[in-house]
Amino acid sequence: MASSVIMSVAVFAIKFSHHHLFIDNKWVDAASGKTFDTYNPHDGSVIAQVAEGDKADINLAVQAAKRAFHRNSEWRLMDAAQRRTLLHKFGDLIERDLEYLAELESYNNGMVLNDARRFLNTAVESTRYLASLADKIQGDTIPLSGEVFSYTLKQPVGVCGLILPWNVPILMFISKVVTALAAGCTVIVKPAEQTPLTALVLAALLQEAGVPAGVVNVVNGFGVGAGTTLTHHPDVAKISFTGSLEVGKLIQQAAGANNLKRVTLELGGKSPLIIMNDADLNVAIPTAAFGVFLHQGQICIAASRLYVQSGIYDKFVQGAVKFVKERIVGNPTDSSTQQGPQIDGEMMNKVLGYIEKGKKEGAKLLTGGNRIGTTGFYIEPTVFADVTDDMTIAKEEIFGPVQSIIKFETLEEVIDRANNTNYGLSAGIFTSDLNNALQFSKHVEAGTVWVNTYFVFSSQAPFGGFKDSGLGRENGPNCVDAYLEVKTVTIALPKKF
């Protein structure tokens, strides 16, 4: 077996009460009365039955959000500084319940508990940063010619549909919801059907923080039904979606079906990480592993194309295999665990299918490649060498713990190869040469570039992709602009009086 394995039974001290829909500040059953099961990926056990929202429930949520957005509503009449204070209180409540939220995130999506805690600390920081933008939204005065006075107003776009992924639900809830609320919008959140639980708890915390009725609504459900109704609804002014490229394309089409929705899309990636001959391998090898194995590889910015220069290729491969063989896989709650399960059986089998394609197409499997046990959805961390650009594992997003090592000769060559993809979410390079770092950073087609590090991000830095990796940017000081309309006002004003 490729790695050390801990497979003890997951134990969580979870008191779970939120499994309904949250509409108009009320916990309600789905209109149909339907529910669906949500699972623990560690052992496949059912955690809870959750209300299954559909068209009727989305319609009710949109009506509530539309009422809450009326010009005379409590929310619209609230000062920007009050919105900021309310959202800061939400951040305080997340910090108060951080351990519970981390355990619930791990319980529902298999994230290693130590990683979940780190992500929750990031979520607290992000909430406070995004909240601080609420009273920083300012227009401009415009020096038009003639006897006029002209200025701009930035106003919230309206009712927003926010569709979350299953891999980092809490971080995505914060990124989308807090930004939209800072801008003054109202929202309907549709969590991924695999991971509805933390979104419901966060909605409860927003209610506790004092968000008025109808401002935040959470409708659990599936893409067909809840998702399609939300993306096609004529009273929804904006959609923000994080997920797969295939679904992102459908959402972009749906956004123009009944009205012209504003759309922010953060989609897939096939991110290149370049290791130059002059790289410090003591740093590059563990960082490259971290870049592709974090959260079982279920990260859109995973360094899933690892290009290593020919002069150090053999040495790097040897070190990478040794490092990965020492990786500990198992129970997400164990303090020594480094890798947990995939989200579900479907995703596990998809990743195993990619591994089989890698072997059949001629890549050299050096370690891993198998399912671990028969309970839960665990896969050995896997390393392939002698991968070529035309292989499936080098072209398609695997979303699993698979490191594909590819040889290159020159920086100029590898930049072209790195850019030869429809994706452009992130990239990285390890080098001691400043010119190499600057040339790569300038010419690689990616929304985020790391030099001699990887996975360093925060709410202060804009995040999004080039090409098919998405539209728009989240986070950063201008992220609220995606939830605002700019209105130009011009008033007749004589120059003399």
Side-chain angles (χ1 to χ4, degrees):
M1 189 168 289
S3 306
S4 302
V5 181
I6 296 173
M7 295 298 290
S8 58
V9 177
V11 178
F12 288 89
I14 292 288
K15 294 180 179 179
F16 183 73
S17 59
H18 300 296
H19 50 83
H20 295 85
L21 310 180
F22 185 71
I23 299 176
D24 213 14
N25 269 16
K26 299 174 184 176
W27 297 99
V28 297
D29 292 325
S32 66
K34 291 183 180 179
T35 62
F36 65 96
D37 293 336
T38 188
Y39 300 91
N40 174 7
H42 171 69
D43 56 14
S45 61
V46 176
I47 298 172
Q49 290 186 324
V50 180
E52 182 183 335
D54 207 328
K55 182 177 181 179
D57 307 288
I58 291 291
N59 286 337
L60 289 172
V62 173
Q63 290 170 18
K66 190 176 179 181
R67 286 194 302 271
F69 192 71
H70 188 273
R71 64 182 181 275
N72 292 327
S73 70
E74 179 184 357
W75 181 244
R76 293 298 301 281
L77 295 176
M78 186 180 292
D79 290 340
Q82 290 178 278
R83 290 204 309 275
R84 179 201 63 206
T85 300
L86 187 154
L87 293 171
H88 272 296
K89 184 177 180 181
F90 176 50
D92 293 341
L93 295 173
I94 296 172
E95 186 171 44
R96 181 196 70 187
D97 295 347
L98 188 146
E99 184 64 21
Y100 172 79
L101 285 163
E103 288 190 6
L104 188 58
E105 187 91 317
S106 178
Y107 194 24
N108 200 188
N109 90 339
M111 185 182 295
V112 172
L113 183 54
N114 284 336
D115 291 337
R117 291 184 179 115
R118 285 192 287 269
F119 281 20
L120 257 296
N121 281 312
T122 299
V124 172
E125 294 174 2
S126 294
T127 301
R128 289 171 175 156
Y129 175 82
L130 296 170
S132 73
L133 301 178
D135 58 356
K136 311 297 187 299
I137 299 168
Q138 300 175 350
D140 300 300
T141 57
I142 307 168
L144 290 186
S145 299
E147 295 190 333
V148 294
F149 171 63
S150 187
Y151 62 96
T152 58
L153 294 173
K154 292 185 177 181
Q155 298 178 317
V157 67
V159 177
C160 300
L162 310 178
I163 303 176
L164 309 183
W166 50 258
N167 61 336
V168 284
I170 289 177
L171 282 181
M172 290 297 99
F173 185 103
I174 298 304
S175 178
K176 295 180 190 299
V177 173
V178 179
T179 306
L181 298 185
C185 296
T186 59
V187 304
I188 299 96
V189 180
K190 196 206 85 65
E193 57 266 26
Q194 297 92 338
T195 54
L197 301 183
T198 49
L200 296 172
V201 176
L202 290 169
L205 295 185
L206 279 165
Q207 184 181 34
E208 184 178 349
V211 170
V215 173
V216 176
N217 307 273
V218 179
V219 180
N220 322 307
F222 294 85
V224 176
T228 52
T229 303
L230 186 60
T231 55
H232 286 81
H233 203 292
D235 289 331
V236 173
K238 177 182 172 62
I239 294 288
S240 178
F241 168 78
T242 296
S244 71
L245 172 60
E246 293 74 20
V247 176
K249 289 179 177 179
L250 294 174
I251 287 174
Q252 189 172 23
Q253 294 169 15
N258 295 313
N259 63 339
L260 196 61
K261 293 178 178 64
R262 282 72 177 124
V263 178
T264 299
L265 301 174
E266 194 270 281
L267 307 177
K270 193 66 181 172
S271 300
L273 176 57
I274 314 304
I275 313 296
M276 302 294 292
N277 284 335
D278 61 358
D280 181 349
L281 297 190
N282 291 324
V283 179
I285 287 172
T287 304
F290 176 68
V292 75
F293 294 119
L294 176 68
H295 193 23
Q296 298 75 261
Q298 298 173 144
I299 298 286
C300 55
I301 52 178
S304 55
R305 287 188 293 155
L306 183 58
Y307 288 94
V308 181
Q309 200 164 11
S310 58
I312 58 165
Y313 184 84
D314 292 339
K315 185 177 182 180
F316 185 97
V317 168
Q318 182 180 11
V321 172
K322 181 178 184 297
F323 186 86
V324 170
K325 282 184 175 180
E326 296 172 353
R327 190 166 176 81
I328 299 173
V329 183
N331 180 351
T333 66
D334 193 289
S335 60
S336 63
T337 294
Q338 297 168 306
Q339 181 177 311
Q342 308 309 121
I343 183 67
D344 57 23
E346 180 181 354
M347 197 68 215
M348 177 189 69
N349 290 329
K350 182 179 178 181
V351 174
L352 291 171
Y354 275 115
I355 292 171
E356 289 304 309
K357 286 181 181 179
K359 292 190 288 186
K360 289 179 181 178
E361 293 177 8
K364 186 176 182 181
L365 178 64
L366 299 180
T367 187
N370 301 302
R371 180 180 181 181
I372 299 174
T374 57
T375 301
F377 310 118
Y378 289 86
I379 297 176
E380 294 173 337
T382 300
V383 178
F384 280 105
D386 299 341
V387 178
T388 58
D389 291 340
D390 60 339
M391 293 179 181
T392 302
I393 59 172
K395 294 191 298 184
E396 297 183 12
E397 186 176 32
I398 299 173
F399 230 58
V402 180
Q403 187 176 59
S404 300
I405 307 179
I406 310 167
K407 186 183 291 186
F408 77 94
E409 298 295 335
T410 68
L411 179 63
E412 184 174 3
E413 161 216 334
V414 81
I415 290 174
D416 288 337
R417 293 170 67 184
N419 289 339
N420 188 26
T421 174
N422 61 312
Y423 291 116
L425 193 54
S426 61
I429 186 170
F430 273 81
T431 180
S432 299
D433 188 317
L434 180 60
N435 185 63
N436 287 340
L438 293 175
Q439 291 291 349
F440 179 78
S441 301
K442 178 180 178 180
H443 294 292
V444 71
E445 295 167 352
T448 298
V449 182
W450 289 288
V451 177
N452 293 330
T453 187
Y454 208 84
F455 276 153
V456 177
F457 58 89
S458 73
S459 53
Q460 295 98 316
F463 179 75
F466 285 27
K467 299 185 283 190
D468 283 353
S469 284
L471 298 172
R473 293 292 183 271
E474 295 180 307
N475 297 330
N478 300 315
C479 63
V480 289
D481 289 347
Y483 293 87
L484 298 170
E485 297 283 21
V486 178
K487 179 186 292 181
T488 300
V489 180
T490 303
I491 304 169
L493 182 67
K495 291 183 177 178
K496 294 182 178 180
F497 66 95

